Amino acid sequence: MTPSSSTSASPSGSRLPADSHDVIEIRGARENNLDDISLDLPKRRLTVFTGVSGSGKSSLVFGTIAAESRRLIDETYTAFIQSFMPSLGRPDVDALRNLSASIIVDQERMGANSRSTVGTATDAYAMLRIVFSRIGEPYVGTSSAFSFNNAEGMCPECEGLGRVSQIDVDELVDRDRSLNEGAITVPNFGVDTWYWKTIAESGLVDPDVKLRDYTPEQWADFLHKPATKIKQNGMNVTYEGLVVKVQRLFLAKERESMQPQIKAFVDRAVKFERCPACDGARLNEAALSCRIDGRNIAECSAMQISDLAELIRKIDDPSVGPVLASLRDVLDSMTEIGLGYLSLDRESGTLSGGESQRVKMVRHLGSSLTDVTYVFDEPTVGLHPHDIRRMNDLLVRLRDKGNTVLVVEHKPEVIEIADHVVDLGPGAGAAGGRICYTGDVAGLRASGTLTGRHLDHRARLRAQVRPHRGVLPITDAATHNLKNVSVDLPLGVLTVVTGVAGSGKSSLIHGSLRGRDDVVTVDQSPIRGSRRSNPATYTGLLDSVRTAFAKANKVKAALFSANSEGACPNCKGIGLVYTDLAMMAGVASVCEQCEGRRFTPEVLTYKLRGKDISEVLAMQVAEARDFFPSGQSRAVLDRLSDVGLDYLSLGQPLTTLSGGERQRLKLAIRMAEKGRTYVLDEPTTGLHLADVDKLLALLDRLVDAGNTVIVIEHHQAVMAHADWIIDLGPGAGHDGGRIVFEGTPADLVADADTLTARHLREYVGAGS
């Protein structure tokens, strides 16, 4: 018997017990709305989870399988190490067996740290640094000499950021006032605050003199004096000029960690300019003097990744052969995954959710790990049909390496490559959480479930397009990769702007229309607000609900606000107690006093038609519409239903919403306004196939009510339904930025030869 065969079979030739663990067994899963479900998932296969929004897909995949995998891995660490880690609760499930280590590749935006770039996030820049340190001329040192995050390589002027901040003093002070009159307008520097006293009582300036009457010396001391020990009221205190103190207190912090009012102040007061010393390259003179084939490392990092891959391919030096091979693999993978239009110096925080997910994916493609469970959350977000095929190839490659691949997805192109499908539903929220079908794709088609019925459903081209009434002109747009594009957007119709990822769609529309009068941009960006914010507070619905409770019970309306008098004192009205851990993700646990209801026991004694305020906030939109049959509350709830958010609960924290849900929530608020131009950015994100038809009906209602609707979208159903299409391309990055077609969808299908035309032609043909 050979050594290899002895590892896979017993002496009698039968399988070893180790070979029998070929399914993940889930028994009695009840996380969130899951209805005590049990199923087996095949390992080393590609499984796609389908179902309407809110049906329980994420609760099963992320909240149960991935969460338990992470918890069990954390338990392998010593008790000492675990004491520094978040205490993860066990998912609500009877049994989970045969789990493997899970790697979640989600759409969470990558950290907005300005020192993180595409190159650092994928290790491509680290490999490029090694290449330059070995074969670049002249020799300047080790790879750390090319790091803008290391003192050895960073530009001393901007400390490796590539830009310097200039503070607008007039945003800090009102020169026509004295200090006693509140001349300092910086947050937390009001009259009689500690910060104000250290300046006003320093003796360096007169607090009664208007700032514009200061002598040059007083002005310099007031604004720019470095930290100095002075005597103040018998105490030693440290005095700093106002600009110095503002830089230390605010500018040394990452923007995303700031409180909203501080962030708004910094955005007003601080202007970032390209660093004059390094011209934005982030590196010092020595690092920039080293070149390969006439280019320094900053110039290579600024190149489009697809071009950099070609450049690296031409380098032939055995001393860095292995590193070059690895770098080529990473760059080729990024091009293959549809990110070839990015550059390594692109800041991670500027990537979209879909781009972030694909960048994370690159890290795993070259991994030597196998028998891992990879979990993806709609990996096709932001992808043109042309790019979806490349994404599918990568998912299959991960599976073929011996990994279990779990994908939450709505797109039929991805569902069709699945080895196994799990369809949840039949509805959302309380109407979901059940297994409607498990099996192969052919079985799904024949199953009669909502997903099965819509898998081959195709929207048809409009029989007659609506006439436009005037145009909205864009002239010589040159943002990012746009090639001085001029185009007229028709008014009073539904226009779809499309093209492959990176072709310039967002640059054209957002870069040209944002800020124009009468243009409402409804995108997927995070909604301003804390974890206290929810659909009820964000839409203004809670105001009318509180008034109704107050009137019915003859008490103050403030009692029914979890941010005011009625809040549980233990959790301050959040319903959860958050424990912040310095180096790890924070932990949330349900408040023991109010049991997550957010209000005091007294407030919960007040009822409205038999329900207390916490029960009303726990209602889903569909249920709340029955509870509030008329009035202002019903009008708001109807708009939420119109945009497909029937399944959201009124009190669900906004921080838990997906990008598509955030966009539809914003749209619900703006729909009350008439005669506007709406710009929507991929509104089909997160929508089930059956819900796309509802979205199309909603877009029609907006247009028929006299509005103009401009949609940036890749979904062929939306393209087919449009009155007018603008197609950008022909490719991505510098291969894009041009209009390759503008006209009706019928003309695009009949006459054009763009990537979009080919895919829309195939889509429409399949439905005829």
Side-chain angles (χ1 to χ4, degrees), residues 189-254:
F189 279 75
V191 174
D192 286 333
T193 61
W194 171 253
Y195 289 151
W196 178 89
K197 285 181 178 178
T198 60
I199 295 174
E201 298 175 5
S202 65
L204 297 172
V205 292
D206 186 337
D208 289 317
V209 173
K210 295 188 188 310
L211 267 55
R212 82 169 50 257
D213 296 328
Y214 281 8
T215 66
E217 183 182 355
Q218 289 172 326
W219 188 247
D221 283 346
F222 171 60
L223 291 179
H224 303 295
K225 192 176 187 67
T228 308
K229 291 283 186 188
I230 61 170
K231 274 273 194 219
Q232 195 174 88
N233 298 326
M235 292 191 304
N236 284 325
V237 297
T238 300
Y239 176 90
E240 292 172 300
L242 181 62
V243 169
V244 177
K245 189 179 281 289
V246 165
Q247 284 177 319
R248 180 176 62 81
L249 290 176
F250 302 139
L251 303 192
K253 294 181 180 177
E254 281 297 327

Side-chain angles (χ1 to χ4, degrees), residues 536-537 539-549 557 632-633:
T537 59
T539 59
L541 173 67
L542 188 60
D543 294 337
S544 56
V545 171
R546 287 167 52 206
T547 301
F549 265 95
Q632 185 183 351
S633 297

Side-chain angles (χ1 to χ4, degrees), residues 428-681:
R434 297 187 285 280
I435 301 292
C436 296
Y437 170 82
T438 62
D440 61 14
V441 178
L444 177 67
R445 277 196 170 89
S447 66
T449 67
L450 193 63
T451 305
R453 294 198 306 272
H454 282 81
L455 196 56
D456 295 314
H457 171 68
R458 299 288 185 268
R460 297 183 179 277
L461 294 172
R462 276 189 181 280
Q464 189 171 2
V465 297
R466 288 169 283 219
H468 69 273
R469 46 176 175 77
V471 296
L472 185 65
I474 294 175
T475 307
D476 293 331
T479 307
H480 297 136
N481 66 331
L482 295 176
K483 312 287 195 299
N484 295 319
V485 171
S486 294
V487 65
D488 289 334
L489 299 167
L491 295 174
V493 300
L494 171 59
T495 297
V496 169
V497 180
T498 189
V500 297
S503 60
K505 304 180 297 297
S506 296
S507 299
L508 177 67
I509 301 303
H510 293 312
S512 304
L513 298 186
R514 194 183 290 275
R516 286 199 190 188
D517 291 342
D518 213 37
V519 172
V520 177
T521 300
V522 188
D523 60 18
Q524 298 186 26
S525 61
I527 293 171
R528 283 192 175 182
S530 65
R531 47 198 176 203
R532 292 178 174 277
S533 304
N534 53 51
T537 59
Y538 186 70
T539 59
L541 173 67
L542 188 60
D543 294 337
S544 56
V545 171
R546 287 167 52 206
T547 301
F549 265 95
K551 190 174 179 182
N553 293 279
K554 297 182 173 54
V555 293
K556 290 189 296 183
L559 282 174
F560 303 99
S561 169
N563 300 328
S564 188
E565 292 181 32
C568 166
N570 185 51
C571 63
K572 309 294 189 291
I574 298 177
L576 300 169
V577 176
Y578 287 88
T579 305
D580 290 324
L581 303 170
M583 304 303 292
M584 304 291 294
V587 181
S589 53
V590 175
C591 173
E592 293 181 0
Q593 284 193 21
C594 69
E595 296 179 333
R597 294 191 183 94
R598 305 176 65 192
F599 296 90
T600 63
E602 179 202 355
V603 170
L604 296 178
T605 63
Y606 299 121
K607 307 280 185 177
L608 177 66
R609 296 193 292 280
K611 301 281 188 184
D612 65 43
I613 183 68
S614 72
E615 290 172 318
V616 170
L617 289 175
M619 288 179 178
Q620 293 177 357
V621 169
E623 184 185 356
R625 289 178 72 209
D626 295 333
F627 191 75
F628 295 102
S630 61
Q632 185 183 351
S633 297
R634 177 57 186 257
V636 175
L637 291 164
D638 282 347
R639 291 201 297 274
L640 289 170
S641 178
D642 285 343
V643 297
L645 294 178
D646 271 320
Y647 60 91
L648 279 191
S649 64
L650 303 184
Q652 182 174 342
L654 295 185
T655 50
T656 66
L657 301 189
S658 69
E661 288 167 336
R662 288 194 295 259
Q663 179 170 221
R664 294 197 289 282
L665 184 59
K666 294 175 188 175
L667 180 59
I669 292 172
R670 308 304 290 262
M671 274 172 57
E673 306 163 17
K674 300 291 183 186
R676 288 189 170 273
T677 297
Y678 288 92
V679 175
L680 307 183
D681 197 342

Side-chain angles (χ1 to χ4, degrees), residues 345-364:
D345 64 359
R346 171 85 171 262
E347 286 190 14
S348 302
T350 66
L351 300 178
S352 69
E355 286 170 333
S356 295
Q357 183 167 217
R358 296 196 292 282
V359 166
K360 294 173 195 172
M361 195 174 180
V362 170
R363 294 183 65 93
H364 304 296

Side-chain angles (χ1 to χ4, degrees), residues 102-118:
S102 292
I103 294 175
I104 298 175
V105 191
D106 59 17
Q107 292 178 41
E108 283 294 314
R109 298 289 178 100
M110 299 176 76
N113 187 323
S114 51
R115 294 189 175 277
S116 173
T117 65
V118 170

Side-chain angles (χ1 to χ4, degrees), residues 386 499-500 503 727-732 734-740 754-756:
H386 172 71
V500 297
S503 60
D727 191 13
L728 278 92
H734 59 56
D735 295 325
R738 292 185 289 274
I739 290 179
V740 292
T754 66
L755 285 171
T756 302

